[in-house]
mmCIF file of all heavy atoms in Angstrom:
data_model
loop_
_atom_site.group_PDB
_atom_site.id
_atom_site.type_symbol
_atom_site.label_atom_id
_atom_site.label_comp_id
_atom_site.label_asym_id
_atom_site.label_seq_id
_atom_site.Cartn_x
_atom_site.Cartn_y
_atom_site.Cartn_z
ATOM 1 N N GLN P 275 173.121 -287.192 -221.372
ATOM 2 C CA GLN P 275 173.514 -286.773 -220.032
ATOM 3 C C GLN P 275 173.718 -287.969 -219.100
ATOM 4 O O GLN P 275 174.731 -288.078 -218.418
ATOM 5 C CB GLN P 275 172.444 -285.839 -219.439
ATOM 6 C CG GLN P 275 172.721 -285.350 -218.030
ATOM 7 C CD GLN P 275 173.786 -284.264 -217.995
ATOM 8 O OE1 GLN P 275 174.056 -283.636 -219.009
ATOM 9 N NE2 GLN P 275 174.403 -284.051 -216.831
ATOM 10 N N ASP P 276 172.751 -288.894 -219.082
ATOM 11 C CA ASP P 276 172.859 -290.052 -218.190
ATOM 12 C C ASP P 276 174.060 -290.918 -218.548
ATOM 13 O O ASP P 276 174.783 -291.405 -217.669
ATOM 14 C CB ASP P 276 171.576 -290.895 -218.255
ATOM 15 C CG ASP P 276 170.450 -290.300 -217.435
ATOM 16 O OD1 ASP P 276 170.703 -289.305 -216.738
ATOM 17 O OD2 ASP P 276 169.321 -290.829 -217.493
ATOM 18 N N ILE P 277 174.278 -291.125 -219.843
ATOM 19 C CA ILE P 277 175.412 -291.948 -220.270
ATOM 20 C C ILE P 277 176.724 -291.291 -219.855
ATOM 21 O O ILE P 277 177.650 -291.968 -219.384
ATOM 22 C CB ILE P 277 175.374 -292.170 -221.797
ATOM 23 C CG1 ILE P 277 174.134 -292.969 -222.183
ATOM 24 C CG2 ILE P 277 176.636 -292.897 -222.269
ATOM 25 C CD1 ILE P 277 173.951 -293.146 -223.681
ATOM 26 N N ALA P 278 176.823 -289.975 -219.997
ATOM 27 C CA ALA P 278 178.046 -289.252 -219.621
ATOM 28 C C ALA P 278 178.328 -289.410 -218.129
ATOM 29 O O ALA P 278 179.479 -289.664 -217.726
ATOM 30 C CB ALA P 278 177.921 -287.776 -219.981
ATOM 31 N N LEU P 279 177.293 -289.272 -217.316
ATOM 32 C CA LEU P 279 177.487 -289.393 -215.870
ATOM 33 C C LEU P 279 177.851 -290.824 -215.478
ATOM 34 O O LEU P 279 178.669 -291.046 -214.572
ATOM 35 C CB LEU P 279 176.219 -288.942 -215.138
ATOM 36 C CG LEU P 279 175.901 -287.441 -215.246
ATOM 37 C CD1 LEU P 279 174.538 -287.136 -214.622
ATOM 38 C CD2 LEU P 279 176.981 -286.607 -214.573
ATOM 39 N N VAL P 280 177.239 -291.803 -216.150
ATOM 40 C CA VAL P 280 177.579 -293.198 -215.873
ATOM 41 C C VAL P 280 179.028 -293.479 -216.266
ATOM 42 O O VAL P 280 179.759 -294.165 -215.540
ATOM 43 C CB VAL P 280 176.611 -294.152 -216.607
ATOM 44 C CG1 VAL P 280 177.146 -295.585 -216.592
ATOM 45 C CG2 VAL P 280 175.235 -294.110 -215.958
ATOM 46 N N LEU P 281 179.473 -292.963 -217.408
ATOM 47 C CA LEU P 281 180.867 -293.146 -217.823
ATOM 48 C C LEU P 281 181.829 -292.548 -216.796
ATOM 49 O O LEU P 281 182.870 -293.145 -216.470
ATOM 50 C CB LEU P 281 181.103 -292.498 -219.192
ATOM 51 C CG LEU P 281 180.561 -293.249 -220.407
ATOM 52 C CD1 LEU P 281 180.725 -292.402 -221.665
ATOM 53 C CD2 LEU P 281 181.284 -294.581 -220.579
ATOM 54 N N MET P 282 181.478 -291.380 -216.269
ATOM 55 C CA MET P 282 182.336 -290.738 -215.269
ATOM 56 C C MET P 282 182.409 -291.589 -214.004
ATOM 57 O O MET P 282 183.496 -291.784 -213.426
ATOM 58 C CB MET P 282 181.785 -289.347 -214.947
ATOM 59 C CG MET P 282 182.679 -288.541 -214.004
ATOM 60 S SD MET P 282 184.266 -288.141 -214.762
ATOM 61 C CE MET P 282 185.131 -287.446 -213.358
ATOM 62 N N ASP P 283 181.256 -292.112 -213.572
ATOM 63 C CA ASP P 283 181.255 -292.958 -212.368
ATOM 64 C C ASP P 283 181.976 -294.277 -212.615
ATOM 65 O O ASP P 283 182.636 -294.819 -211.725
ATOM 66 C CB ASP P 283 179.824 -293.210 -211.902
ATOM 67 C CG ASP P 283 179.240 -292.021 -211.150
ATOM 68 O OD1 ASP P 283 180.041 -291.258 -210.573
ATOM 69 O OD2 ASP P 283 178.014 -291.863 -211.133
ATOM 70 N N MET P 284 181.860 -294.819 -213.821
ATOM 71 C CA MET P 284 182.614 -296.028 -214.158
ATOM 72 C C MET P 284 184.113 -295.777 -214.036
ATOM 73 O O MET P 284 184.860 -296.622 -213.518
ATOM 74 C CB MET P 284 182.278 -296.479 -215.583
ATOM 75 C CG MET P 284 180.939 -297.178 -215.733
ATOM 76 S SD MET P 284 180.494 -297.426 -217.484
ATOM 77 C CE MET P 284 181.981 -298.197 -218.126
ATOM 78 N N ALA P 285 184.553 -294.639 -214.500
ATOM 79 C CA ALA P 285 185.979 -294.305 -214.415
ATOM 80 C C ALA P 285 186.411 -294.185 -212.963
ATOM 81 O O ALA P 285 187.511 -294.626 -212.593
ATOM 82 C CB ALA P 285 186.253 -293.008 -215.165
ATOM 83 N N ARG P 286 185.533 -293.606 -212.126
ATOM 84 C CA ARG P 286 185.860 -293.496 -210.698
ATOM 85 C C ARG P 286 185.980 -294.885 -210.067
ATOM 86 O O ARG P 286 186.906 -295.161 -209.294
ATOM 87 C CB ARG P 286 184.783 -292.691 -209.973
ATOM 88 C CG ARG P 286 184.770 -291.200 -210.289
ATOM 89 C CD ARG P 286 183.885 -290.461 -209.291
ATOM 90 N NE ARG P 286 183.827 -289.027 -209.557
ATOM 91 C CZ ARG P 286 182.788 -288.404 -210.106
ATOM 92 N NH1 ARG P 286 181.709 -289.099 -210.450
ATOM 93 N NH2 ARG P 286 182.815 -287.102 -210.322
ATOM 94 N N ILE P 287 185.032 -295.760 -210.357
ATOM 95 C CA ILE P 287 185.042 -297.108 -209.777
ATOM 96 C C ILE P 287 186.300 -297.855 -210.197
ATOM 97 O O ILE P 287 186.960 -298.511 -209.391
ATOM 98 C CB ILE P 287 183.779 -297.876 -210.197
ATOM 99 C CG1 ILE P 287 182.536 -297.243 -209.551
ATOM 100 C CG2 ILE P 287 183.883 -299.346 -209.810
ATOM 101 C CD1 ILE P 287 181.229 -297.760 -210.090
ATOM 102 N N GLN P 288 186.660 -297.748 -211.480
ATOM 103 C CA GLN P 288 187.865 -298.417 -211.975
ATOM 104 C C GLN P 288 189.124 -297.893 -211.290
ATOM 105 O O GLN P 288 190.115 -298.612 -211.169
ATOM 106 C CB GLN P 288 187.993 -298.217 -213.493
ATOM 107 C CG GLN P 288 186.952 -298.970 -214.295
ATOM 108 C CD GLN P 288 187.026 -298.653 -215.780
ATOM 109 O OE1 GLN P 288 186.699 -299.473 -216.604
ATOM 110 N NE2 GLN P 288 187.455 -297.452 -216.116
ATOM 111 N N ASP P 289 189.050 -296.653 -210.830
ATOM 112 C CA ASP P 289 190.211 -296.033 -210.183
ATOM 113 C C ASP P 289 190.203 -296.232 -208.672
ATOM 114 O O ASP P 289 191.015 -295.655 -207.962
ATOM 115 C CB ASP P 289 190.244 -294.530 -210.506
ATOM 116 C CG ASP P 289 191.668 -294.003 -210.627
ATOM 117 O OD1 ASP P 289 192.513 -294.732 -211.178
ATOM 118 O OD2 ASP P 289 191.934 -292.880 -210.171
ATOM 119 N N GLY P 290 189.250 -297.049 -208.173
ATOM 120 C CA GLY P 290 189.226 -297.344 -206.743
ATOM 121 C C GLY P 290 188.372 -296.413 -205.922
ATOM 122 O O GLY P 290 188.383 -296.484 -204.693
ATOM 123 N N GLU P 291 187.621 -295.525 -206.568
ATOM 124 C CA GLU P 291 186.752 -294.598 -205.839
ATOM 125 C C GLU P 291 185.306 -295.091 -205.893
ATOM 126 O O GLU P 291 184.964 -296.021 -206.625
ATOM 127 C CB GLU P 291 186.831 -293.204 -206.462
ATOM 128 C CG GLU P 291 188.151 -292.494 -206.277
ATOM 129 C CD GLU P 291 188.063 -291.050 -206.744
ATOM 130 O OE1 GLU P 291 187.341 -290.264 -206.090
ATOM 131 O OE2 GLU P 291 188.693 -290.716 -207.751
ATOM 132 N N SER P 292 184.458 -294.419 -205.124
ATOM 133 C CA SER P 292 183.019 -294.675 -205.197
ATOM 134 C C SER P 292 182.376 -293.585 -206.037
ATOM 135 O O SER P 292 182.911 -292.469 -206.145
ATOM 136 C CB SER P 292 182.406 -294.666 -203.796
ATOM 137 O OG SER P 292 182.950 -295.698 -203.006
ATOM 138 N N PRO P 293 181.227 -293.864 -206.655
ATOM 139 C CA PRO P 293 180.510 -292.798 -207.362
ATOM 140 C C PRO P 293 180.187 -291.650 -206.407
ATOM 141 O O PRO P 293 179.948 -291.873 -205.219
ATOM 142 C CB PRO P 293 179.235 -293.489 -207.854
ATOM 143 C CG PRO P 293 179.581 -294.947 -207.890
ATOM 144 C CD PRO P 293 180.542 -295.161 -206.761
ATOM 145 N N LYS P 294 180.180 -290.444 -206.927
ATOM 146 C CA LYS P 294 179.848 -289.287 -206.087
ATOM 147 C C LYS P 294 178.449 -289.433 -205.501
ATOM 148 O O LYS P 294 178.189 -289.066 -204.368
ATOM 149 C CB LYS P 294 179.939 -287.995 -206.914
ATOM 150 C CG LYS P 294 181.334 -287.619 -207.349
ATOM 151 C CD LYS P 294 182.145 -287.068 -206.201
ATOM 152 C CE LYS P 294 183.496 -286.549 -206.676
ATOM 153 N NZ LYS P 294 184.340 -286.066 -205.576
ATOM 154 N N ASP P 295 177.535 -289.974 -206.325
ATOM 155 C CA ASP P 295 176.140 -290.168 -205.912
ATOM 156 C C ASP P 295 175.759 -291.618 -206.224
ATOM 157 O O ASP P 295 175.270 -291.913 -207.321
ATOM 158 C CB ASP P 295 175.229 -289.184 -206.663
ATOM 159 C CG ASP P 295 173.747 -289.386 -206.345
ATOM 160 O OD1 ASP P 295 173.441 -290.162 -205.401
ATOM 161 O OD2 ASP P 295 172.917 -288.793 -207.047
ATOM 162 N N PRO P 296 176.014 -292.550 -205.287
ATOM 163 C CA PRO P 296 175.743 -293.967 -205.581
ATOM 164 C C PRO P 296 174.305 -294.246 -205.992
ATOM 165 O O PRO P 296 174.051 -295.050 -206.893
ATOM 166 C CB PRO P 296 176.094 -294.663 -204.259
ATOM 167 C CG PRO P 296 177.074 -293.750 -203.592
ATOM 168 C CD PRO P 296 176.631 -292.373 -203.960
ATOM 169 N N THR P 297 173.341 -293.590 -205.330
ATOM 170 C CA THR P 297 171.935 -293.817 -205.680
ATOM 171 C C THR P 297 171.643 -293.329 -207.094
ATOM 172 O O THR P 297 170.992 -294.015 -207.889
ATOM 173 C CB THR P 297 171.016 -293.101 -204.670
ATOM 174 O OG1 THR P 297 171.289 -293.601 -203.356
ATOM 175 C CG2 THR P 297 169.554 -293.338 -205.017
ATOM 176 N N GLY P 298 172.146 -292.138 -207.411
ATOM 177 C CA GLY P 298 171.944 -291.602 -208.753
ATOM 178 C C GLY P 298 172.590 -292.482 -209.810
ATOM 179 O O GLY P 298 172.028 -292.699 -210.891
#
């Protein structure tokens, strides 16, 4: 679960967005 969420946030960052939950 944690790896999946990190991968999703990595994709967002690469696309110029911020993670939905930066602290998380």
Side-chain angles (χ1 to χ4, degrees):
Q275 179 76 19
D276 281 354
I277 296 175
L279 292 173
V280 167
L281 284 173
M282 185 66 188
D283 282 334
M284 283 170 51
R286 289 193 181 105
I287 292 170
Q288 290 175 150
D289 214 39
E291 291 188 68
S292 297
K294 292 285 186 183
D295 177 10
T297 301

